[in-house]
Amino acid sequence: MNHVKHWINGSEVSDTAERQGDIYNPATGHITGKVDFADSARIDAAVKVAAQAFDSWRHSSLTKRVQVLFAFRELVNVNKEKIAALITAEHGKVLSDAAGEVTRGLEVVEFACGIPHLLKGGFSEEVSTGVDVYSIRQPLGPVAIISPFNFPAMVPMWFFPIAIATGNSVIVKPSEKDPSAAMFLAKLWKEAGLPDGVFNVVHGDKEAVDALLVHPGIKAVSFVGSTPIARYVYENGTKAGKRIQALGGAKNHMVVLPDADLELTADSAINAGFGSAGERCMAISVVVAVEPVADELIAKITKRMAGLKTGDGTQGADMGPLVTKVHRDKVASYIEAGMKAGATLVVDGRGVEVAGDGFWLGPTLFDNVTPEMSIYKEEIFGPVLSVIRVKSYDEALNLVNSHMYGNGTAIFTNDGGAARRYQNEVEVGMVGINVPIPVPMAYFSFGGWKNSLFGDSHAHGTEGVQFFTRGKVVTSRWLDPSHGGINLGFPQNS
Ligand code: NAD
């Protein structure tokens, strides 16, 4: 039985916590480990360590920081398969998906390797006679990263490479459902030469999060998770005077115009709807079919769904289990709700047959969904795809813009002008054009609009560098040597 402990000051803590959580293998349904839960005393101890480490790390040279980052990058790359296996064992996603998320995280490390360039400030000479002004960006102090279950490696890696590169110390509070990837990454940081205490991992639930939110030593929090908790973290963190970015839930629409390439569209709907069992914040959850496209598109999607294999992510399946039994049952309850509300159940994933007691639910498709239904309004976060039929582009746009979430969206069309208009008019933070999931690119910033993000700052890219630093402007006057003072051999003014 695996026992996951906190990682503080460069090693696992020796004692065992009073409260613990169970870790499951979702493909077998069995408990495979326990994870310690931090209380406020543990959080306080971790923050003290991080504060002490910050005092020296912030003064480490850019050259030193970049050397550590490059070493970390190499170690993550070499260990990609091992990290992917840890993710699959606790999350359930298929191995190729798990390896893919490590790659996406690595890209942020690579971005952070360029930190000397990214931290360069501006300089204006002679703003007044003999006066220069320049700007510098400095680290904040200990920062916390609180992450969701669905990307146990990638989401923390959206933040910590940049936080560390800019001179902060970090406390990661990963999801208690799949904590092992963060622990593995902690060991790699140590091997890469990061000083002890700069990167710490504490585990836990609400108690740990609440303690981080009010601790005066924590200067900023990067949170990713569901919208109610994101809002809670934003409100309470800002009340405690912290800088907060809190990324929340999603309901991503894929608008299909009648001129779209339907083979590409159907492939995309399958990948984005059912990849990672729909447990992605950029999953496509709603296909908005602009008539007369719906019948043909649904036929193509249904045909492809029949070929999808649901099963153990280590055994070559296309789609793994859901993360917990509770979550599986919640997603299944939406299928019941959709039927009761009058939607047409085209494919029912509840009948999927997979050996063992895993948390299985097969790909599910609804047609004739309407905006009042809970399967449309709420984030399901599972392999349930809904089709809404609309008559025009305007109706489709209005639907997307009226939704409470604004994380990602896609449009499928062969008309560049229509796509251009959509990218301009849609009220969503990330837009795909003939691309279903605009994946995070490290050098751009990632984040949604409306109830999908609380705070002003998106993740990584230049916004990430700004989030983890604060600006200072220096106005400096150095008197010319001709002015007097110690005679350095310059001609003196009389
Ligand atoms: P969650 O909100 O349940 O948990 C996220 C984090 O908050 C975890 O670390 C958890 O321990 C903690 N937490 C849970 N309940 C809490 C409470 N009551 N008080 C304080 N902290 C609490 O989310 P999840 O189920 O782990 O992840 C799935 C959600 O994350 C989905 O809604 C998904 O859309 C969202 N997500 C969003 C993005 C994005 O970029 N916007 C990316 C990934 C996931």
Side-chain angles (χ1 to χ4, degrees), residues 117-173:
H117 185 71
L118 294 161
L119 273 185
K120 282 195 302 195
F123 191 101
S124 292
E125 191 181 45
E126 211 77 347
V127 295
S128 180
T129 307
V131 175
D132 304 326
V133 176
Y134 50 96
S135 63
I136 50 182
R137 297 203 70 85
Q138 296 187 321
L140 307 175
V143 298
I145 295 163
I146 302 167
S147 54
F149 81 83
N150 68 321
F151 284 107
M154 181 188 78
V155 166
M157 288 170 88
W158 280 352
F159 305 106
F160 68 62
I162 298 173
I164 289 174
T166 48
N168 301 281
S169 56
V170 166
I171 297 178
V172 177
K173 206 301 285 171

Side-chain angles (χ1 to χ4, degrees), residues 146-151 155 158 173-177 204-207 209-210 213 223-227 229-230 232-233 247-250 280-282 379 381 407 430 446-448 452:
I146 302 167
S147 54
F149 81 83
N150 68 321
F151 284 107
V155 166
W158 280 352
K173 206 301 285 171
S175 169
E176 64 278 32
K177 298 187 178 93
D205 54 4
K206 179 174 168 48
E207 188 176 349
V209 171
D210 284 345
L213 287 179
F223 173 90
V224 181
S226 59
T227 284
I229 313 296
Y232 172 86
V233 166
L247 285 69
R280 287 180 181 145
C281 68
M282 292 301 275
E379 181 182 43
F381 220 56
N407 210 41
M430 292 170 285
F446 183 94
S452 296

